[in-house]
Amino acid sequence: MKQYVLDTSALISGLFNLADSKFYIPDSVVGEIQHGNLPMFMESISSSLNIMSPSRANVEAVKRKANSTGDLQKLSPTDIDVIALALETGSAVLSDDFAIQNVCSSLGIEFVPATIRPISDQVRWAGRCSGCGKNYSSTSGTCVICGHSIRRVRKKSDKIKK
């Protein structure tokens, strides 16, 4: 039986079959779903979902990897929990978030898009000053040379092997 960790966008899409797979969601995803009809939807499917918190060790491992790829500042704490729970359970991730997909690829975690095409390249990001062009390892902040903002730029890209 295939196992998936759902992020909030995948859960909202409803484009998954509860009958043929096992699904996990971090408890932080439940916390994000508080508006409209989503609480009723969650209630109706909650018996088919395994709601868990990832271990602190896996959360820290994901943060280290996301920092090395340059995606850490693009990931919310919930996004990090999704990836950490996939790492912990050996599940694939169901998400349309490109930063989540990029970190999953870097960690060797399978990912499946919920509604859009998946990423085809694993990307490493770096920082570059928007004024003088100085390169930085951080993807945000202020340039120590000229004071302009540091922007996230693609440093390296590798095709994802299928």
PDB file of all heavy atoms in Angstrom, residues 5-6 24-30 50-63 76-90 109:
ATOM      1  N   VAL A   5       2.277  11.725   2.587  1.00  0.00           N
ATOM      2  CA  VAL A   5       2.054  12.814   3.533  1.00  0.00           C
ATOM      3  C   VAL A   5       1.447  13.947   2.722  1.00  0.00           C
ATOM      4  O   VAL A   5       1.981  14.337   1.684  1.00  0.00           O
ATOM      5  CB  VAL A   5       3.367  13.271   4.210  1.00  0.00           C
ATOM      6  CG1 VAL A   5       3.100  14.470   5.111  1.00  0.00           C
ATOM      7  CG2 VAL A   5       3.984  12.132   5.009  1.00  0.00           C
ATOM      8  N   LEU A   6       0.318  14.455   3.179  1.00  0.00           N
ATOM      9  CA  LEU A   6      -0.381  15.528   2.479  1.00  0.00           C
ATOM     10  C   LEU A   6      -0.018  16.880   3.081  1.00  0.00           C
ATOM     11  O   LEU A   6      -0.017  17.033   4.298  1.00  0.00           O
ATOM     12  CB  LEU A   6      -1.898  15.353   2.597  1.00  0.00           C
ATOM     13  CG  LEU A   6      -2.505  14.033   2.122  1.00  0.00           C
ATOM     14  CD1 LEU A   6      -3.979  13.968   2.475  1.00  0.00           C
ATOM     15  CD2 LEU A   6      -2.312  13.881   0.635  1.00  0.00           C
ATOM     16  N   TYR A  24      -0.900  10.404   5.761  1.00  0.00           N
ATOM     17  CA  TYR A  24      -0.460  11.065   6.986  1.00  0.00           C
ATOM     18  C   TYR A  24      -0.569  12.569   6.794  1.00  0.00           C
ATOM     19  O   TYR A  24      -0.372  13.074   5.677  1.00  0.00           O
ATOM     20  CB  TYR A  24       1.009  10.756   7.283  1.00  0.00           C
ATOM     21  CG  TYR A  24       1.309   9.324   7.575  1.00  0.00           C
ATOM     22  CD1 TYR A  24       1.721   8.463   6.566  1.00  0.00           C
ATOM     23  CD2 TYR A  24       1.208   8.826   8.865  1.00  0.00           C
ATOM     24  CE1 TYR A  24       2.023   7.139   6.829  1.00  0.00           C
ATOM     25  CE2 TYR A  24       1.509   7.500   9.148  1.00  0.00           C
ATOM     26  CZ  TYR A  24       1.914   6.670   8.129  1.00  0.00           C
ATOM     27  OH  TYR A  24       2.212   5.352   8.392  1.00  0.00           O
ATOM     28  N   ILE A  25      -0.847  13.269   7.859  1.00  0.00           N
ATOM     29  CA  ILE A  25      -0.708  14.721   7.858  1.00  0.00           C
ATOM     30  C   ILE A  25      -0.113  15.121   9.204  1.00  0.00           C
ATOM     31  O   ILE A  25      -0.435  14.526  10.228  1.00  0.00           O
ATOM     32  CB  ILE A  25      -2.031  15.482   7.599  1.00  0.00           C
ATOM     33  CG1 ILE A  25      -3.079  15.159   8.653  1.00  0.00           C
ATOM     34  CG2 ILE A  25      -2.559  15.243   6.210  1.00  0.00           C
ATOM     35  CD1 ILE A  25      -4.301  16.059   8.586  1.00  0.00           C
ATOM     36  N   PRO A  26       0.770  16.122   9.165  1.00  0.00           N
ATOM     37  CA  PRO A  26       1.262  16.621  10.440  1.00  0.00           C
ATOM     38  C   PRO A  26       0.162  17.411  11.137  1.00  0.00           C
ATOM     39  O   PRO A  26      -0.706  17.995  10.480  1.00  0.00           O
ATOM     40  CB  PRO A  26       2.439  17.515  10.064  1.00  0.00           C
ATOM     41  CG  PRO A  26       2.348  17.751   8.617  1.00  0.00           C
ATOM     42  CD  PRO A  26       1.419  16.740   8.029  1.00  0.00           C
ATOM     43  N   ASP A  27       0.190  17.439  12.454  1.00  0.00           N
ATOM     44  CA  ASP A  27      -0.847  18.167  13.178  1.00  0.00           C
ATOM     45  C   ASP A  27      -0.833  19.651  12.842  1.00  0.00           C
ATOM     46  O   ASP A  27      -1.850  20.325  12.956  1.00  0.00           O
ATOM     47  CB  ASP A  27      -0.761  17.925  14.682  1.00  0.00           C
ATOM     48  CG  ASP A  27       0.606  18.208  15.262  1.00  0.00           C
ATOM     49  OD1 ASP A  27       1.503  18.634  14.520  1.00  0.00           O
ATOM     50  OD2 ASP A  27       0.773  17.983  16.473  1.00  0.00           O
ATOM     51  N   SER A  28       0.291  20.174  12.355  1.00  0.00           N
ATOM     52  CA  SER A  28       0.343  21.586  11.970  1.00  0.00           C
ATOM     53  C   SER A  28      -0.524  21.868  10.736  1.00  0.00           C
ATOM     54  O   SER A  28      -1.020  22.981  10.577  1.00  0.00           O
ATOM     55  CB  SER A  28       1.784  22.033  11.724  1.00  0.00           C
ATOM     56  OG  SER A  28       2.422  21.203  10.783  1.00  0.00           O
ATOM     57  N   VAL A  29      -0.740  20.874   9.865  1.00  0.00           N
ATOM     58  CA  VAL A  29      -1.654  21.053   8.726  1.00  0.00           C
ATOM     59  C   VAL A  29      -3.076  21.215   9.237  1.00  0.00           C
ATOM     60  O   VAL A  29      -3.824  22.068   8.766  1.00  0.00           O
ATOM     61  CB  VAL A  29      -1.553  19.877   7.724  1.00  0.00           C
ATOM     62  CG1 VAL A  29      -2.721  19.877   6.753  1.00  0.00           C
ATOM     63  CG2 VAL A  29      -0.240  19.938   6.958  1.00  0.00           C
ATOM     64  N   VAL A  30      -3.440  20.421  10.236  1.00  0.00           N
ATOM     65  CA  VAL A  30      -4.774  20.548  10.831  1.00  0.00           C
ATOM     66  C   VAL A  30      -4.969  21.963  11.355  1.00  0.00           C
ATOM     67  O   VAL A  30      -6.024  22.565  11.188  1.00  0.00           O
ATOM     68  CB  VAL A  30      -4.985  19.508  11.961  1.00  0.00           C
ATOM     69  CG1 VAL A  30      -6.332  19.708  12.635  1.00  0.00           C
ATOM     70  CG2 VAL A  30      -4.867  18.101  11.418  1.00  0.00           C
ATOM     71  N   ASN A  50      -3.870   9.670   9.235  1.00  0.00           N
ATOM     72  CA  ASN A  50      -3.029   9.474  10.413  1.00  0.00           C
ATOM     73  C   ASN A  50      -2.408  10.829  10.736  1.00  0.00           C
ATOM     74  O   ASN A  50      -1.581  11.324   9.965  1.00  0.00           O
ATOM     75  CB  ASN A  50      -1.942   8.446  10.126  1.00  0.00           C
ATOM     76  CG  ASN A  50      -2.530   7.096   9.811  1.00  0.00           C
ATOM     77  OD1 ASN A  50      -3.020   6.425  10.696  1.00  0.00           O
ATOM     78  ND2 ASN A  50      -2.524   6.716   8.539  1.00  0.00           N
ATOM     79  N   ILE A  51      -2.820  11.441  11.824  1.00  0.00           N
ATOM     80  CA  ILE A  51      -2.336  12.757  12.216  1.00  0.00           C
ATOM     81  C   ILE A  51      -1.214  12.561  13.230  1.00  0.00           C
ATOM     82  O   ILE A  51      -1.414  11.935  14.272  1.00  0.00           O
ATOM     83  CB  ILE A  51      -3.474  13.617  12.789  1.00  0.00           C
ATOM     84  CG1 ILE A  51      -4.588  13.768  11.750  1.00  0.00           C
ATOM     85  CG2 ILE A  51      -2.939  14.974  13.236  1.00  0.00           C
ATOM     86  CD1 ILE A  51      -5.857  14.398  12.269  1.00  0.00           C
ATOM     87  N   MET A  52      -0.036  13.077  12.887  1.00  0.00           N
ATOM     88  CA  MET A  52       1.155  12.878  13.713  1.00  0.00           C
ATOM     89  C   MET A  52       2.000  14.138  13.740  1.00  0.00           C
ATOM     90  O   MET A  52       1.889  14.981  12.854  1.00  0.00           O
ATOM     91  CB  MET A  52       2.044  11.763  13.129  1.00  0.00           C
ATOM     92  CG  MET A  52       1.404  10.427  12.936  1.00  0.00           C
ATOM     93  SD  MET A  52       2.497   9.270  12.052  1.00  0.00           S
ATOM     94  CE  MET A  52       3.945   9.248  13.084  1.00  0.00           C
ATOM     95  N   SER A  53       2.868  14.210  14.720  1.00  0.00           N
ATOM     96  CA  SER A  53       3.910  15.239  14.759  1.00  0.00           C
ATOM     97  C   SER A  53       5.233  14.570  14.415  1.00  0.00           C
ATOM     98  O   SER A  53       5.540  13.514  14.963  1.00  0.00           O
ATOM     99  CB  SER A  53       4.010  15.854  16.151  1.00  0.00           C
ATOM    100  OG  SER A  53       2.861  16.574  16.463  1.00  0.00           O
ATOM    101  N   PRO A  54       6.022  15.169  13.534  1.00  0.00           N
ATOM    102  CA  PRO A  54       7.328  14.583  13.233  1.00  0.00           C
ATOM    103  C   PRO A  54       8.277  14.776  14.412  1.00  0.00           C
ATOM    104  O   PRO A  54       8.091  15.677  15.230  1.00  0.00           O
ATOM    105  CB  PRO A  54       7.798  15.382  12.010  1.00  0.00           C
ATOM    106  CG  PRO A  54       7.091  16.686  12.119  1.00  0.00           C
ATOM    107  CD  PRO A  54       5.773  16.393  12.773  1.00  0.00           C
ATOM    108  N   SER A  55       9.286  13.942  14.483  1.00  0.00           N
ATOM    109  CA  SER A  55      10.271  14.060  15.558  1.00  0.00           C
ATOM    110  C   SER A  55      11.104  15.321  15.363  1.00  0.00           C
ATOM    111  O   SER A  55      11.283  15.798  14.239  1.00  0.00           O
ATOM    112  CB  SER A  55      11.193  12.838  15.577  1.00  0.00           C
ATOM    113  OG  SER A  55      12.052  12.864  14.451  1.00  0.00           O
ATOM    114  N   ARG A  56      11.608  15.834  16.453  1.00  0.00           N
ATOM    115  CA  ARG A  56      12.459  17.023  16.426  1.00  0.00           C
ATOM    116  C   ARG A  56      13.705  16.750  15.574  1.00  0.00           C
ATOM    117  O   ARG A  56      14.158  17.610  14.833  1.00  0.00           O
ATOM    118  CB  ARG A  56      12.836  17.401  17.859  1.00  0.00           C
ATOM    119  CG  ARG A  56      13.799  18.509  17.994  1.00  0.00           C
ATOM    120  CD  ARG A  56      13.455  19.931  17.721  1.00  0.00           C
ATOM    121  NE  ARG A  56      12.241  20.620  17.843  1.00  0.00           N
ATOM    122  CZ  ARG A  56      11.665  21.304  16.838  1.00  0.00           C
ATOM    123  NH1 ARG A  56      12.135  21.282  15.627  1.00  0.00           N
ATOM    124  NH2 ARG A  56      10.608  22.023  17.029  1.00  0.00           N
ATOM    125  N   ALA A  57      14.244  15.525  15.658  1.00  0.00           N
ATOM    126  CA  ALA A  57      15.439  15.178  14.886  1.00  0.00           C
ATOM    127  C   ALA A  57      15.178  15.279  13.377  1.00  0.00           C
ATOM    128  O   ALA A  57      16.020  15.793  12.628  1.00  0.00           O
ATOM    129  CB  ALA A  57      15.913  13.768  15.244  1.00  0.00           C
ATOM    130  N   ASN A  58      14.015  14.803  12.924  1.00  0.00           N
ATOM    131  CA  ASN A  58      13.697  14.894  11.495  1.00  0.00           C
ATOM    132  C   ASN A  58      13.408  16.328  11.077  1.00  0.00           C
ATOM    133  O   ASN A  58      13.748  16.731   9.963  1.00  0.00           O
ATOM    134  CB  ASN A  58      12.535  13.970  11.148  1.00  0.00           C
ATOM    135  CG  ASN A  58      12.989  12.530  11.035  1.00  0.00           C
ATOM    136  OD1 ASN A  58      14.072  12.259  10.543  1.00  0.00           O
ATOM    137  ND2 ASN A  58      12.174  11.606  11.511  1.00  0.00           N
ATOM    138  N   VAL A  59      12.772  17.103  11.944  1.00  0.00           N
ATOM    139  CA  VAL A  59      12.541  18.531  11.647  1.00  0.00           C
ATOM    140  C   VAL A  59      13.888  19.231  11.462  1.00  0.00           C
ATOM    141  O   VAL A  59      14.087  19.994  10.500  1.00  0.00           O
ATOM    142  CB  VAL A  59      11.705  19.202  12.762  1.00  0.00           C
ATOM    143  CG1 VAL A  59      11.721  20.719  12.620  1.00  0.00           C
ATOM    144  CG2 VAL A  59      10.273  18.684  12.738  1.00  0.00           C
ATOM    145  N   GLU A  60      14.827  18.968  12.346  1.00  0.00           N
ATOM    146  CA  GLU A  60      16.149  19.596  12.247  1.00  0.00           C
ATOM    147  C   GLU A  60      16.895  19.128  10.997  1.00  0.00           C
ATOM    148  O   GLU A  60      17.585  19.922  10.351  1.00  0.00           O
ATOM    149  CB  GLU A  60      16.973  19.323  13.510  1.00  0.00           C
ATOM    150  CG  GLU A  60      16.429  20.035  14.740  1.00  0.00           C
ATOM    151  CD  GLU A  60      16.273  21.538  14.566  1.00  0.00           C
ATOM    152  OE1 GLU A  60      17.192  22.188  14.009  1.00  0.00           O
ATOM    153  OE2 GLU A  60      15.222  22.079  14.971  1.00  0.00           O
ATOM    154  N   ALA A  61      16.763  17.851  10.633  1.00  0.00           N
ATOM    155  CA  ALA A  61      17.401  17.334   9.415  1.00  0.00           C
ATOM    156  C   ALA A  61      16.849  18.036   8.173  1.00  0.00           C
ATOM    157  O   ALA A  61      17.605  18.392   7.263  1.00  0.00           O
ATOM    158  CB  ALA A  61      17.198  15.824   9.312  1.00  0.00           C
ATOM    159  N   VAL A  62      15.539  18.254   8.157  1.00  0.00           N
ATOM    160  CA  VAL A  62      14.910  18.955   7.020  1.00  0.00           C
ATOM    161  C   VAL A  62      15.382  20.405   6.973  1.00  0.00           C
ATOM    162  O   VAL A  62      15.700  20.929   5.897  1.00  0.00           O
ATOM    163  CB  VAL A  62      13.372  18.861   7.098  1.00  0.00           C
ATOM    164  CG1 VAL A  62      12.712  19.791   6.084  1.00  0.00           C
ATOM    165  CG2 VAL A  62      12.916  17.426   6.880  1.00  0.00           C
ATOM    166  N   LYS A  63      15.465  21.052   8.113  1.00  0.00           N
ATOM    167  CA  LYS A  63      15.931  22.448   8.148  1.00  0.00           C
ATOM    168  C   LYS A  63      17.365  22.562   7.625  1.00  0.00           C
ATOM    169  O   LYS A  63      17.682  23.479   6.863  1.00  0.00           O
ATOM    170  CB  LYS A  63      15.853  23.012   9.564  1.00  0.00           C
ATOM    171  CG  LYS A  63      14.455  23.343  10.014  1.00  0.00           C
ATOM    172  CD  LYS A  63      14.478  23.898  11.430  1.00  0.00           C
ATOM    173  CE  LYS A  63      13.095  24.251  11.928  1.00  0.00           C
ATOM    174  NZ  LYS A  63      13.146  24.772  13.320  1.00  0.00           N
ATOM    175  N   SER A  76       7.414  27.229   5.251  1.00  0.00           N
ATOM    176  CA  SER A  76       6.770  27.542   6.523  1.00  0.00           C
ATOM    177  C   SER A  76       7.085  26.416   7.509  1.00  0.00           C
ATOM    178  O   SER A  76       7.526  25.324   7.105  1.00  0.00           O
ATOM    179  CB  SER A  76       5.253  27.649   6.331  1.00  0.00           C
ATOM    180  OG  SER A  76       4.697  26.362   6.088  1.00  0.00           O
ATOM    181  N   PRO A  77       6.851  26.637   8.791  1.00  0.00           N
ATOM    182  CA  PRO A  77       7.027  25.534   9.746  1.00  0.00           C
ATOM    183  C   PRO A  77       6.176  24.312   9.383  1.00  0.00           C
ATOM    184  O   PRO A  77       6.617  23.177   9.561  1.00  0.00           O
ATOM    185  CB  PRO A  77       6.593  26.147  11.079  1.00  0.00           C
ATOM    186  CG  PRO A  77       6.903  27.608  10.925  1.00  0.00           C
ATOM    187  CD  PRO A  77       6.577  27.902   9.473  1.00  0.00           C
ATOM    188  N   THR A  78       4.986  24.538   8.848  1.00  0.00           N
ATOM    189  CA  THR A  78       4.129  23.427   8.429  1.00  0.00           C
ATOM    190  C   THR A  78       4.752  22.671   7.255  1.00  0.00           C
ATOM    191  O   THR A  78       4.730  21.441   7.218  1.00  0.00           O
ATOM    192  CB  THR A  78       2.718  23.922   8.080  1.00  0.00           C
ATOM    193  OG1 THR A  78       2.148  24.534   9.239  1.00  0.00           O
ATOM    194  CG2 THR A  78       1.819  22.792   7.603  1.00  0.00           C
ATOM    195  N   ASP A  79       5.318  23.398   6.289  1.00  0.00           N
ATOM    196  CA  ASP A  79       5.998  22.758   5.158  1.00  0.00           C
ATOM    197  C   ASP A  79       7.129  21.864   5.655  1.00  0.00           C
ATOM    198  O   ASP A  79       7.316  20.735   5.178  1.00  0.00           O
ATOM    199  CB  ASP A  79       6.588  23.799   4.203  1.00  0.00           C
ATOM    200  CG  ASP A  79       5.551  24.666   3.520  1.00  0.00           C
ATOM    201  OD1 ASP A  79       4.373  24.271   3.443  1.00  0.00           O
ATOM    202  OD2 ASP A  79       5.934  25.772   3.065  1.00  0.00           O
ATOM    203  N   ILE A  80       7.887  22.364   6.617  1.00  0.00           N
ATOM    204  CA  ILE A  80       8.991  21.589   7.187  1.00  0.00           C
ATOM    205  C   ILE A  80       8.457  20.338   7.878  1.00  0.00           C
ATOM    206  O   ILE A  80       9.015  19.251   7.731  1.00  0.00           O
ATOM    207  CB  ILE A  80       9.821  22.468   8.144  1.00  0.00           C
ATOM    208  CG1 ILE A  80      10.557  23.542   7.329  1.00  0.00           C
ATOM    209  CG2 ILE A  80      10.802  21.629   8.966  1.00  0.00           C
ATOM    210  CD1 ILE A  80      11.171  24.654   8.143  1.00  0.00           C
ATOM    211  N   ASP A  81       7.343  20.479   8.606  1.00  0.00           N
ATOM    212  CA  ASP A  81       6.719  19.315   9.249  1.00  0.00           C
ATOM    213  C   ASP A  81       6.295  18.266   8.228  1.00  0.00           C
ATOM    214  O   ASP A  81       6.437  17.063   8.467  1.00  0.00           O
ATOM    215  CB  ASP A  81       5.494  19.735  10.070  1.00  0.00           C
ATOM    216  CG  ASP A  81       5.843  20.424  11.371  1.00  0.00           C
ATOM    217  OD1 ASP A  81       7.034  20.443  11.762  1.00  0.00           O
ATOM    218  OD2 ASP A  81       4.907  20.958  12.016  1.00  0.00           O
ATOM    219  N   VAL A  82       5.756  18.703   7.093  1.00  0.00           N
ATOM    220  CA  VAL A  82       5.318  17.776   6.035  1.00  0.00           C
ATOM    221  C   VAL A  82       6.503  16.941   5.559  1.00  0.00           C
ATOM    222  O   VAL A  82       6.433  15.708   5.481  1.00  0.00           O
ATOM    223  CB  VAL A  82       4.664  18.540   4.858  1.00  0.00           C
ATOM    224  CG1 VAL A  82       4.533  17.658   3.622  1.00  0.00           C
ATOM    225  CG2 VAL A  82       3.302  19.091   5.263  1.00  0.00           C
ATOM    226  N   ILE A  83       7.605  17.605   5.252  1.00  0.00           N
ATOM    227  CA  ILE A  83       8.785  16.896   4.753  1.00  0.00           C
ATOM    228  C   ILE A  83       9.361  15.988   5.847  1.00  0.00           C
ATOM    229  O   ILE A  83       9.733  14.836   5.587  1.00  0.00           O
ATOM    230  CB  ILE A  83       9.849  17.893   4.256  1.00  0.00           C
ATOM    231  CG1 ILE A  83       9.280  18.771   3.132  1.00  0.00           C
ATOM    232  CG2 ILE A  83      11.095  17.149   3.761  1.00  0.00           C
ATOM    233  CD1 ILE A  83      10.146  19.978   2.799  1.00  0.00           C
ATOM    234  N   ALA A  84       9.420  16.501   7.073  1.00  0.00           N
ATOM    235  CA  ALA A  84       9.971  15.709   8.187  1.00  0.00           C
ATOM    236  C   ALA A  84       9.134  14.467   8.450  1.00  0.00           C
ATOM    237  O   ALA A  84       9.676  13.393   8.738  1.00  0.00           O
ATOM    238  CB  ALA A  84      10.059  16.576   9.444  1.00  0.00           C
ATOM    239  N   LEU A  85       7.807  14.591   8.340  1.00  0.00           N
ATOM    240  CA  LEU A  85       6.936  13.434   8.548  1.00  0.00           C
ATOM    241  C   LEU A  85       7.128  12.403   7.433  1.00  0.00           C
ATOM    242  O   LEU A  85       7.122  11.198   7.678  1.00  0.00           O
ATOM    243  CB  LEU A  85       5.478  13.875   8.654  1.00  0.00           C
ATOM    244  CG  LEU A  85       4.474  12.821   9.090  1.00  0.00           C
ATOM    245  CD1 LEU A  85       4.868  12.191  10.426  1.00  0.00           C
ATOM    246  CD2 LEU A  85       3.078  13.455   9.198  1.00  0.00           C
ATOM    247  N   ALA A  86       7.348  12.873   6.212  1.00  0.00           N
ATOM    248  CA  ALA A  86       7.639  11.949   5.103  1.00  0.00           C
ATOM    249  C   ALA A  86       8.955  11.228   5.342  1.00  0.00           C
ATOM    250  O   ALA A  86       9.066  10.018   5.109  1.00  0.00           O
ATOM    251  CB  ALA A  86       7.677  12.708   3.780  1.00  0.00           C
ATOM    252  N   LEU A  87       9.940  11.944   5.829  1.00  0.00           N
ATOM    253  CA  LEU A  87      11.235  11.347   6.149  1.00  0.00           C
ATOM    254  C   LEU A  87      11.067  10.286   7.231  1.00  0.00           C
ATOM    255  O   LEU A  87      11.625   9.189   7.144  1.00  0.00           O
ATOM    256  CB  LEU A  87      12.182  12.454   6.615  1.00  0.00           C
ATOM    257  CG  LEU A  87      13.654  12.154   6.764  1.00  0.00           C
ATOM    258  CD1 LEU A  87      14.260  11.704   5.437  1.00  0.00           C
ATOM    259  CD2 LEU A  87      14.382  13.387   7.286  1.00  0.00           C
ATOM    260  N   GLU A  88      10.248  10.584   8.214  1.00  0.00           N
ATOM    261  CA  GLU A  88      10.031   9.690   9.349  1.00  0.00           C
ATOM    262  C   GLU A  88       9.253   8.431   8.973  1.00  0.00           C
ATOM    263  O   GLU A  88       9.541   7.343   9.467  1.00  0.00           O
ATOM    264  CB  GLU A  88       9.278  10.466  10.428  1.00  0.00           C
ATOM    265  CG  GLU A  88       9.262   9.830  11.772  1.00  0.00           C
ATOM    266  CD  GLU A  88       8.908  10.849  12.833  1.00  0.00           C
ATOM    267  OE1 GLU A  88       9.544  11.908  12.917  1.00  0.00           O
ATOM    268  OE2 GLU A  88       7.973  10.549  13.598  1.00  0.00           O
ATOM    269  N   THR A  89       8.252   8.579   8.108  1.00  0.00           N
ATOM    270  CA  THR A  89       7.364   7.455   7.791  1.00  0.00           C
ATOM    271  C   THR A  89       7.756   6.720   6.508  1.00  0.00           C
ATOM    272  O   THR A  89       7.163   5.695   6.186  1.00  0.00           O
ATOM    273  CB  THR A  89       5.908   7.939   7.645  1.00  0.00           C
ATOM    274  OG1 THR A  89       5.835   8.909   6.582  1.00  0.00           O
ATOM    275  CG2 THR A  89       5.384   8.530   8.950  1.00  0.00           C
ATOM    276  N   GLY A  90       8.712   7.257   5.765  1.00  0.00           N
ATOM    277  CA  GLY A  90       9.093   6.643   4.494  1.00  0.00           C
ATOM    278  C   GLY A  90       8.034   6.835   3.429  1.00  0.00           C
ATOM    279  O   GLY A  90       7.943   6.051   2.483  1.00  0.00           O
ATOM    280  N   ILE A 109      13.332  11.925  -1.107  1.00  0.00           N
ATOM    281  CA  ILE A 109      11.934  11.615  -0.784  1.00  0.00           C
ATOM    282  C   ILE A 109      11.103  11.777  -2.058  1.00  0.00           C
ATOM    283  O   ILE A 109      11.182  12.813  -2.728  1.00  0.00           O
ATOM    284  CB  ILE A 109      11.387  12.570   0.306  1.00  0.00           C
ATOM    285  CG1 ILE A 109      12.169  12.399   1.606  1.00  0.00           C
ATOM    286  CG2 ILE A 109       9.895  12.344   0.529  1.00  0.00           C
ATOM    287  CD1 ILE A 109      11.847  13.451   2.661  1.00  0.00           C
TER     288      ILE A 109
END
